[in-house]
Amino acid sequence: MTGPAWMLLAVYLLVLVLLAWPLARWIDRVMSGRFGLSQRVEAPLYRLAGIRPEVESGWLRYATGLLIFNGLGVLAVYALQRLQGVLPHGPNGPFEWFNPQALAAVSADSAFNTAVSFVTNTNWQGYGGETTMSYLTQMLALTVQNFLSAATGIVVVVALVRGFARHGAQAIGNVWVDLTRVTLWVLLPLSIVFAVILVGLGVIQNFKPYEAVTTIETVRWQEPKIGADGQPVKDALGQPVLEGKSGQSQTLAMGPVASQLAIKMIGTNGGGFFNANSAHPYENPSAVSNFLQMLSIFVIPAALCFVFGRMVGDVRQGWAILATMVLLFVAFAVAAISFEQQGNPRLAALGADPLASAKQPGGNMEGKEARFGIAASGLFATITTAASCGAVIAMHDSFTPLGGMVPMVLMQLGEVVFGGVGSGLYGMLVFAIMAVFVAGLMIGRTPEYLGKKIESHEMKMVSIAILVTPLLVLLGTAVAVLAEPGRAGLLNPGAHGFSEALYALSSAANNNGSAFAGLSANTPFYNVLLALAMWLGRFGVIVPVLAIAGSLAAKKRLAVTAGTLPTHGPLFVALLIGTVLLIGLLNYVPALALGPVVEHLMLGSPS
Amino acid sequence: MDIVVLLIAAALWLAVYGLARACAALQPGGGRP
């Protein structure tokens, strides 16, 4: 790590905590109904929808409401994509802004994948935004789901925390009220302010048709030849066939980018307006916008730690969870940046200077965001995969094997290091329950967390919540590398190809959405396989988490005694870190050994 | 193709709803308030 890299990391964490603290006070106020204006504005909405806001429900009804809400979301996003070609389109007419490029309907399998992807807060994108989605689809389908999927994650964690905070209660909240409040008073205001800031920094926001410009120089490049089946043509050795291209004209994609970008980051969604995501200059124009985008990914997950502390009446509990996340995050960020700064030993052997100097960045610059360098690219990669965001500014596929393993492992830990909005904290609280259970086993005492006895039922639910995603990732990867359509999508042979499949399944099942690059995933096989992983990885965890919430809410609160394990100190933080890492390693080390670890060892072997 | 997709979506929805019912059944008292 270079000096500026350390400084970037330190400033980032400092500003993050300074922003998260006041935001937590606001979220707590809104979600507990203590914001006066809230009830006056919401009342007509509830009357219109036939909702009685004062009536709360048990966990099963709460979960069913969420499932219906998100199921309808899938249908709506799917329908808009399939119908965009017949809705008003073309550069003329009163609704020209719907679809000025006259983009056709999205294929059924891709539309399904995208619908599930955006509803589950994954935002995996098998498509390229500017060549596939109309402005109407981007706004009404994808951006709306960015809000609603983020709201879903937040209300689940609020319900879980209510389970800890309440005692002898059957209800964990009103799902419709919670969804309304978090969308209306947290996500919308933050996004509006952030979108305006982004426009000020140069992110575009318009409904213009794409613009054709003439470049100053003739540009020559090579790109993979695409066959009639839409897949890259490969030679006898399985390598992609490249064809030379040249030209002096370029089409510049336009669109309402800032309004989608703001919630894409704040809601840890990550689905880019453009195919290049946050590496596109219209989506991330400067180092300042890059820094703000990195901050916006973590700000709600960090604030929710404080919200948790406030709701359970002990802010130290929130600090302990936040400390756990920060320590894990710093370790992974330092690892990723260091591996990339060390560079590729094979290039060094050929005479490339791997050391950073005033004249060159050193290290491994392949696939990095050239404007921001290795430190910012490595930090962004760590942030976007620690959170379940998935926005990218660098190609993780081009990282060194161990550098690329960092984002992969962060996803495989279950997206609990900050994680997605809401989902990161409820995932970490599930691990906290597991940690007190392990501690209870060690000292021979019935485990308890925040005054709630942890018993058989909670542990069954914790087991389901923890095991669902590894099951999906490992089985899905096995299917992908065994099935012919799965292998056909891999660009690279050997260990790196295996990593491409493992990364895609890890990203989908843990609802991250970032891509490793190299995998041709817009095929019926991958669209369906990944949609399945995304849906089950999201709601297969939410359901047992809500079951835990319901079970805990009904329990009485136990008094703190001399035998109670303190869960706000360094000992518990260490225990929680150990639990997260141990479970992650036990689940994934064999698979990682076949991918990035083998690839790393091959770097040192004769070619 | 749309029908196939909708059938897959319905199956996925039911799978998670089934998981919710199963979790409720595992809960002491059946999970109902």
Side-chain angles (χ1 to χ4, degrees):
Chain A
M1 289 261 288
T2 58
W6 281 110
M7 200 181 298
L8 177 65
L9 186 58
V11 171
Y12 175 80
L13 288 171
L14 181 69
V15 178
L16 178 69
V17 173
L18 290 177
L19 288 175
W21 182 257
L23 180 60
R25 293 174 67 96
W26 173 245
I27 296 174
D28 180 31
R29 196 173 158 198
V30 166
M31 295 312 289
S32 57
R34 286 185 280 116
F35 174 48
L37 184 64
S38 143
Q39 286 165 12
R40 279 203 295 275
V41 173
E42 291 165 20
L45 299 175
Y46 298 142
R47 268 201 301 277
L48 197 68
I51 292 163
R52 290 167 59 200
E54 70 284 0
V55 178
E56 296 194 336
S57 64
W59 80 265
L60 184 57
R61 201 177 172 84
Y62 199 97
T64 306
L66 273 183
L67 285 177
I68 292 170
F69 182 68
N70 285 285
L72 291 174
V74 170
L75 294 181
V77 177
Y78 180 79
L80 267 167
Q81 292 174 85
R82 295 290 285 154
L83 294 173
Q84 73 174 19
V86 295
L87 291 171
H89 59 273
N92 300 308
F95 298 107
E96 59 177 343
W97 55 274
F98 273 20
N99 185 4
Q101 297 307 119
L103 295 167
V106 183
S107 70
D109 56 302
S110 177
F112 174 57
N113 180 283
T114 304
V116 173
S117 175
F118 277 72
V119 166
T120 57
N121 201 252
T122 312
N123 298 46
W124 169 271
Q125 296 172 289
Y127 64 91
E130 63 270 49
T131 53
T132 312
M133 299 296 178
S134 70
Y135 292 166
L136 185 73
T137 308
Q138 295 265 30
M139 289 188 299
L140 196 56
L142 307 186
T143 306
V144 167
Q145 272 307 323
N146 280 354
F147 281 97
L148 301 182
S149 64
T152 296
I154 295 174
V155 302
V156 171
V157 81
V158 167
L160 177 61
V161 177
R162 284 192 192 123
F164 284 112
R166 294 178 178 182
H167 45 97
Q170 296 296 336
I172 59 169
N174 182 318
V175 65
W176 308 114
V177 172
D178 289 346
L179 284 169
T180 305
R181 284 187 179 154
V182 78
T183 307
L184 208 54
W185 305 113
V186 179
L187 297 172
L188 263 176
L190 280 178
S191 300
I192 290 170
V193 170
F194 192 39
V196 171
I197 293 172
L198 290 168
V199 168
L201 290 170
V203 176
I204 61 170
Q205 177 76 15
N206 62 50
F207 294 114
K208 288 195 277 187
Y210 296 177
E211 291 185 1
V213 296
T214 304
T215 56
I216 296 170
E217 295 177 338
T218 301
V219 181
R220 293 180 178 79
W221 70 96
Q222 284 194 314
E223 63 181 36
K225 190 175 181 181
I226 305 295
D229 58 352
Q231 298 297 310
V233 177
K234 293 183 178 177
D235 61 17
L237 297 171
Q239 299 297 316
V241 176
L242 299 176
E243 59 182 349
K245 293 269 178 90
S246 68
Q248 222 178 340
S249 69
Q250 185 179 355
T251 302
L252 299 181
M254 297 283 126
V257 180
S259 54
Q260 184 166 336
L261 173 60
I263 185 62
K264 160 196 155 189
M265 311 311 275
I266 286 172
T268 62
N269 297 280
F273 192 95
F274 299 118
N275 196 24
N277 211 296
S278 285
H280 195 293
Y282 287 169
E283 198 157 336
N284 193 1
S286 66
V288 177
S289 68
N290 192 57
F291 186 75
L292 292 181
Q293 289 191 27
M294 291 195 292
L295 270 178
S296 59
I297 295 175
F298 269 4
V299 72
I300 289 183
L304 284 173
C305 293
F306 296 132
V307 173
F308 162 64
R310 295 174 73 88
M311 285 179 68
V312 298
D314 184 357
V315 178
R316 297 173 305 173
Q317 303 290 343
W319 276 108
I321 297 291
L322 184 65
T324 306
M325 292 178 175
V326 168
L327 288 171
L328 283 166
F329 166 70
V330 169
F332 281 106
V334 169
I337 297 170
S338 299
F339 288 134
E340 294 312 299
Q341 195 64 61
Q342 282 170 17
N344 184 330
R346 290 202 174 182
L347 289 178
L350 292 171
D353 183 1
L355 297 177
S357 67
K359 291 183 178 174
Q360 60 124 13
N364 172 32
M365 273 298 287
E366 184 195 310
K368 298 292 179 299
E369 169 53 278
R371 294 174 299 167
F372 310 139
I374 291 174
S377 297
L379 184 60
F380 198 111
T382 312
I383 291 167
T384 198
T385 49
S388 75
C389 184
V392 291
I393 64 169
M395 290 297 103
H396 300 174
D397 178 65
S398 288
F399 279 31
T400 59
L402 294 184
M405 190 171 78
V406 169
M408 210 182 314
V409 169
L410 277 166
M411 295 186 293
Q412 290 167 344
L413 293 180
E415 294 292 13
V416 297
V417 183
F418 289 93
V421 286
S423 59
L425 182 57
Y426 67 65
M428 187 56 99
L429 291 176
V430 164
F431 276 110
I433 296 173
M434 176 61 86
V436 296
F437 176 71
V438 171
L441 287 179
M442 288 194 288
I443 60 174
R445 188 184 154 89
T446 304
E448 58 188 78
Y449 186 45
L450 303 172
K452 295 298 176 80
K453 199 181 278 187
I454 305 301
E455 295 174 294
S456 159
H457 179 68
E458 289 79 43
M459 289 316 299
K460 285 177 192 164
M461 296 301 110
V462 163
S463 303
I464 293 172
I466 287 179
L467 291 176
V468 160
T469 47
L471 198 70
L472 291 167
V473 172
L474 297 174
L475 275 178
T477 306
V479 169
V481 296
L482 286 173
E484 180 51 36
R487 286 198 303 275
L490 305 177
L491 179 65
N492 295 88
H496 198 76
F498 180 80
S499 292
E500 289 169 4
L502 179 63
Y503 192 102
L505 267 300
S506 301
S507 178
N510 290 286
N511 301 134
N512 181 270
S514 69
F516 202 47
L519 183 72
S520 298
N522 197 3
T523 62
F525 174 83
Y526 276 111
N527 279 332
V528 173
L529 179 70
L530 296 175
L532 196 138
M534 288 187 280
W535 178 265
L536 297 177
R538 174 75 160 177
F539 295 102
V541 176
I542 281 179
V543 164
V545 164
L546 287 174
I548 295 169
S551 175
L552 291 177
K555 289 175 189 269
K556 290 178 184 163
R557 182 175 293 159
L558 303 173
V560 176
T561 67
T564 305
L565 173 73
T567 52
H568 56 265
L571 179 66
F572 182 71
V573 171
L575 185 65
L576 188 50
I577 290 175
T579 306
V580 170
L581 290 178
L582 198 64
I583 290 175
L585 290 175
L586 287 173
N587 282 326
Y588 289 106
V589 158
L592 291 168
L594 292 173
V597 174
V598 165
E599 203 183 342
H600 173 72
L601 295 175
M602 286 165 68
L603 279 182
S605 66
S607 55
Chain B
M1 192 62 186
D2 289 316
I3 299 295
V4 175
V5 164
L6 290 176
L7 285 175
I8 295 172
L12 285 176
W13 194 92
L14 285 172
V16 180
Y17 182 68
L19 175 67
R21 300 301 305 220
C23 290
L26 280 173
Q27 194 173 344
R32 288 194 175 277

